[in-house]
Amino acid sequence: MASEKSRILVVGGTGYLGRHVVAASARLGHPTLALVRDTAPSDPAKAALLKSFQDTGVTLLKGDLYDQASLASAVKAADVVISTLGKMQIADQARLIDAIKEAGNVKRFFPSEFGLDVDRTGIVEPGKSVLSGKVGIRRATEAAGIPYTYAVAGYFAGYGLPNIGQLLAPGPPTDEAVVLGDGDTKVVFVDEADIGTYTVLAAGDPRAENKTLYIKPPSNTLSHNQLLSLWERKTGKTFRREYVPEEAVLKQIQESPIPLSIILAIGHAGYVRGEQAGFEIDPAMGVDASELYPDVKYTTVDEYLNRFV
């Protein structure tokens, strides 16, 4: 594990995942910078979040992805740049690549990834088109000669576990659980704070340079059937399971409006195709975060589900 502390700039640090990356960076002792449009926002929740950043020693840099001068200034202050921008800004990371290339001092760039591995996914449309932006950013990063790490983390626990793996359900099953496919395909669920921790640990680690970092903690790799059985043991209830054949899942994807069709396409890739867990990592292209950092005490699925019992 690398001991050197890097100056880490997080772009998108006030977002859903970004705040966890910022927190992990500060907690692990890195001089941490967060690019923010407004250092004194009127929104009380955002103001409280920024204060929590500052309370842990994070430096707020006023700037904007669409203001190249402020972006370049922020990048020049960092050794590592981690982007956690949302899907609407994925393509605009080209501006960030330009700033990093111009600065010439960044030792590692993490483009906004954290879901499926976009270079090996067989996700169906419209998911394929949505993820094409991430593919473009990967190629642009490589073409610019910027050292990179692509962090791939499967399902965010906050999205996949409150409804016990049911993609479109508002909460846990009451009488019946809907399962895509046969329910035996292994899926990965990772707590967002742990995604932040593994990402930051890899920031200065030469073993992760120009590699895909696969975040798939062993205890959190389980099938939907196993997840439901775990929930049944915790609640003392048994649920009927409605299994949806792949053909029916594909039909529903085609007939559903966006964004439901995108959610289902991602679910099909994970729960039916097994893209999150059902493969061997090519050591020339990727590394397993759990093998690099075996001492991380991550939140297990079992522990996470206790929040809902």
Side-chain angles (χ1 to χ4, degrees), residues 7 13 20 23 28 49 93 112 121 125 169 175 188 196 224 248 263 267 278 280 282:
R7 294 172 299 166
H20 295 287
L28 292 170
L49 177 62
Q93 290 178 111
S112 187
T121 183
E125 293 289 4
D175 299 310
V188 181
H224 198 174
I263 295 171
E280 293 293 326
D282 178 355

Side-chain angles (χ1 to χ4, degrees), residues 171-233:
T174 51
D175 299 310
E176 181 178 82
V178 178
V179 181
L180 304 188
D182 61 13
D184 291 329
T185 301
K186 293 295 177 70
V187 185
V188 181
F189 303 93
V190 192
D191 183 273
E192 289 80 350
D194 294 328
I195 294 174
T197 297
Y198 284 117
T199 298
V200 171
L201 286 172
D205 192 337
R207 298 173 296 176
E209 183 173 325
N210 296 337
K211 299 282 182 69
T212 298
L213 178 76
Y214 293 97
I215 304 172
K216 47 178 189 174
S219 295
N220 292 11
T221 303
L222 65 168
S223 71
H224 198 174
N225 281 331
Q226 290 173 322
L227 177 61
L228 285 166
S229 295
L230 178 59
W231 182 244
E232 287 175 335
R233 289 196 297 273

Side-chain angles (χ1 to χ4, degrees), residues 86-101:
K87 61 180 180 294
M88 300 305 293
Q89 293 181 294
I90 292 300
D92 291 337
Q93 290 178 111
R95 295 173 177 270
L96 193 50
I97 292 171
D98 288 342
I100 292 171
K101 188 176 180 180

Side-chain angles (χ1 to χ4, degrees), residues 90-91 93-94 97-98 101 109 111-113 117-121 131-150 210-212 214 285:
I90 292 300
Q93 290 178 111
I97 292 171
D98 288 342
K101 188 176 180 180
F109 174 44
S112 187
E113 292 268 349
D117 183 353
V118 298
D119 275 338
R120 53 171 297 277
T121 183
L131 295 185
S132 65
K134 291 186 177 182
V135 176
I137 292 299
R138 285 191 179 193
R139 299 295 85 81
T141 300
E142 295 157 7
I146 299 169
Y148 62 84
T149 299
Y150 304 138
N210 296 337
K211 299 282 182 69
T212 298
Y214 293 97
M285 305 293 290

Side-chain angles (χ1 to χ4, degrees), residues 116 123 127 131 155 167 261-271 276:
L116 294 169
I123 190 171
L131 295 185
Y155 274 108
L167 292 186
S261 56
I262 297 172
I263 295 171
L264 287 166
I266 294 171
H268 173 261
Y271 287 99
Q276 296 175 355

